[in-house]
């Protein structure tokens, strides 16, 4: 017997499905609609759809949100990576840590002047292709972790529990995230006019980059920096989902009580204001926590294969040559990008969920 738990209008329900029942088409649709949804945000059901359609309706919100994130945030992400990998000035000393040659907007102007509009979207291919599966896995694994924590209890997660569930998502998406980050970073730091002063192998396209990386070192080269990616994503996603869940509930409650003057609070109420503000601040919290690790990851993944033994080697070299401030290089573009990109992410996720499930 399979015990399936799901939410309907803030009330936890339990269904017992046998393996014989699951073999039937209708029961399999029921299983998909109840087990895969499994979250207080998706209160509708997908009855009447085949199993493939039911699964697609569950993973689509994350895929839409990921696509929104990349399209909105890619230009500033490119600036961040350029600043993180910029070499120190020759006059550097240990007592006077280096600073970037150009700020956020100076770097952006330099890219536009040398490479045009296409330059700010250089490297967008891999993250755009990977955005749908990465974010679909992220939000699906978050729901899975939430259900594992609850274990049948009739309640919602606390913000702390949501934070730990968010940490799980950083590992769940690693198999797709690591190689796409490697390719994206290499594409972003190269310049047809050598604006960064860094000599790089010129990659004609993202696929050309993949082929050359594989030819040089096989799958290990494509997954170079995987541990660094996980070290960045686990604490970053803990801050991400923990902040979102906390602020979304607080803002939604405030809107219902003080603005709409409702007598009771509906936990399933879809508030565009709460979604946008909570999503934006969740992105900011993510990058404040993750940026030092992201700097080390960017340095590692834009280096020659085998140049560093790991993220610890990158850290030691960075401290010796540039000092602690280098860990936070690119903070300004990261925060500038974080709010609109993650506002778009969560708005895409929640609006898609609302459209697919609340209107059934």
């Amino acid at each position: 017997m399979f015990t399936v738990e799901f939410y309907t209008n803030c009330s936890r329900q339990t269904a017992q499905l046998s393996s014989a029942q699951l073999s039937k088409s209708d029961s399999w649709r029921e299983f998909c609609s109840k087990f895969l949804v499994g979250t207080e945000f998706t209160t509708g059901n997908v009855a009447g759809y085949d199993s493939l359609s039911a699964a697609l309706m569950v993973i689509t919100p994350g895929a839409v949100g990921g696509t929104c994130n990349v399209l909105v945030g890619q230009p500033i992400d490119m600036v961040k990576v350029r600043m993180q990998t910029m070499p120190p000035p020759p006059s550097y000393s240990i007592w006077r840590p280096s600073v970037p040659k150009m700020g956020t907007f100076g770097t952006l102007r330099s890219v536009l002047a040398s490479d045009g509009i296409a330059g700010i979207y250089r490297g967008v291919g891999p993250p755009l292709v990977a955005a749908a599966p990465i974010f679909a896995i992220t939000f699906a694994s978050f729901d899975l972790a939430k259900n594992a924590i609850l274990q049948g209890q009739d309640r919602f997660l606390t913000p702390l529990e949501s934070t730990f569930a968010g940490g799980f998502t950083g590992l769940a998406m690693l198999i797709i995230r690591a190689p796409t980050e490697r390719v994206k970073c290499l594409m972003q730091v190269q310049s047809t006019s050598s604006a960064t002063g860094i000599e790089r192998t010129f990659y004609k396209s993202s696929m050309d980059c993949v082929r050359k990386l594989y030819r040089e070192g096989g799958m290990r080269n494509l997954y170079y920096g995987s541990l660094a990616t996980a070290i960045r994503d686990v604490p970053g996603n803990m801050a991400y989902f923990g902040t979102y869940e906390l602020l979304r509930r607080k803002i939604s409650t405030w809107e219902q009580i003080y603005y709409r003057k409702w007598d009771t609070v509906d936990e399933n109420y879809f508030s565009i204001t709460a979604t946008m503000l909570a999503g934006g601040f969740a992105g900011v919290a993510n990058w404040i926590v993750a940026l030092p690790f992201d700097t080390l990851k960017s340095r590692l993944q834009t280096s020659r294969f085998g140049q560093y033994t790991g993220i610890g080697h990158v850290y030691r070299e960075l401290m010796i040559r540039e000092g602690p401030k280098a860990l936070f290089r690119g903070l300004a573009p990261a925060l500038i990008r974080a709010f609109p990109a993650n506002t778009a992410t969560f708005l895409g996720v929640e609006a898609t969920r609302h459209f697919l499930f609340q209107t059934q």
Side-chain angles (χ1 to χ4, degrees):
M1 298 290 292
F2 292 83
T3 300
V4 181
E5 297 174 348
F6 60 101
Y7 290 96
T8 302
N9 295 329
C10 296
S11 175
R12 178 177 285 277
Q13 307 291 326
T14 302
Q16 295 287 337
L17 300 178
S18 67
S19 56
Q21 287 176 310
L22 290 178
S23 65
K24 299 179 181 180
S25 176
D26 289 344
S27 296
W28 176 240
R29 285 198 295 269
E30 181 182 19
F31 177 77
C32 287
S33 67
K34 294 175 180 177
F35 177 72
L36 291 178
V37 173
T39 171
E40 62 265 36
F41 299 114
T42 50
T43 58
N45 61 69
V46 290
Y49 295 87
D50 58 41
S51 57
L52 177 60
S53 297
L56 288 175
M57 290 177 71
V58 173
I59 65 175
T60 297
V64 171
T67 303
C68 294
N69 180 286
V70 173
L71 292 177
V72 173
Q74 175 67 16
I76 302 299
D77 184 72
M78 182 277 304
V79 173
K80 173 184 68 68
V81 173
R82 284 283 184 96
M83 292 178 68
Q84 287 176 329
T85 57
M86 190 178 295
S91 60
Y92 165 79
S93 72
I94 190 65
W95 305 109
R96 185 166 58 83
S98 64
V99 296
K101 296 176 182 178
M102 294 177 290
T104 302
F105 295 104
T107 304
L108 181 60
R109 284 194 299 268
S110 175
V111 173
L112 288 172
S114 61
D115 300 327
I117 295 295
I120 64 175
Y121 276 96
R122 175 171 291 152
V124 72
L128 188 59
V129 170
I134 285 177
F135 279 82
I137 291 171
T138 297
F139 282 90
S141 61
F142 180 63
D143 290 342
L144 179 63
K146 287 166 66 176
N147 289 334
I149 292 172
L150 286 172
Q151 293 186 343
Q153 300 177 63
D154 187 13
R155 64 178 180 85
F156 293 108
L157 290 184
T158 66
L160 182 60
E161 289 170 334
S162 295
T163 299
F164 283 108
F168 173 72
T169 68
L171 297 175
M173 62 184 179
L174 186 62
I175 190 170
I176 301 175
R177 173 81 88 179
T180 57
E181 285 284 312
R182 169 81 157 141
V183 174
K184 182 202 73 170
C185 288
L186 283 171
M187 292 295 294
Q188 286 177 332
V189 297
Q190 72 175 2
S191 173
T192 55
S193 62
S194 301
T196 62
I198 307 173
E199 293 184 1
R200 300 287 185 192
T201 301
F202 181 74
Y203 301 110
K204 297 179 180 178
S205 65
S206 297
M207 287 306 300
D208 183 53
C209 182
V210 170
R211 286 192 294 268
K212 289 180 178 177
L213 288 175
Y214 184 80
R215 192 181 307 128
E216 180 184 351
M219 292 301 293
R220 286 186 60 194
N221 196 8
L222 281 171
Y223 278 87
Y224 191 50
S226 294
L227 178 60
T229 304
I231 292 173
R232 179 199 68 173
D233 286 345
V234 171
N237 282 16
M238 291 176 73
Y240 189 57
F241 283 100
T243 300
Y244 176 75
E245 291 287 331
L246 176 63
L247 292 181
R248 185 196 63 82
R249 292 179 187 179
K250 293 291 186 183
I251 298 171
S252 179
T253 299
W254 179 89
E255 179 181 342
Q256 293 177 62
I257 294 177
Y258 296 104
Y259 179 71
R260 299 192 179 276
K261 307 297 183 181
W262 292 352
D263 295 329
T264 59
V265 175
D266 180 5
E267 286 283 350
N268 286 328
Y269 171 65
F270 175 55
S271 168
I272 295 178
T273 301
T275 298
M276 294 179 67
L277 291 176
F281 283 113
V284 171
N286 181 358
W287 279 109
I288 289 175
V289 171
L291 186 68
F293 307 110
D294 185 66
T295 299
L296 298 175
K297 180 199 74 70
S298 295
R299 292 290 182 104
L300 180 63
Q301 291 190 316
T302 55
S303 65
R304 298 188 310 276
F305 181 51
Q307 178 179 346
Y308 296 106
T309 57
I311 191 172
H313 188 187
V314 178
Y315 175 77
R316 291 191 296 271
E317 291 285 326
L318 191 66
M319 291 301 99
I320 293 172
R321 295 182 179 180
E322 302 179 50
K325 287 185 178 181
L327 288 171
F328 291 92
R329 182 180 295 170
L331 178 62
L335 296 184
I336 291 171
R337 172 191 181 276
F339 200 95
N342 290 285
T343 292
T345 300
F346 279 101
L347 187 59
V349 169
E350 300 291 7
T352 305
R353 281 175 168 171
H354 182 76
F355 175 78
L356 291 177
F357 296 104
Q358 304 292 341
T359 59
Q360 295 303 317

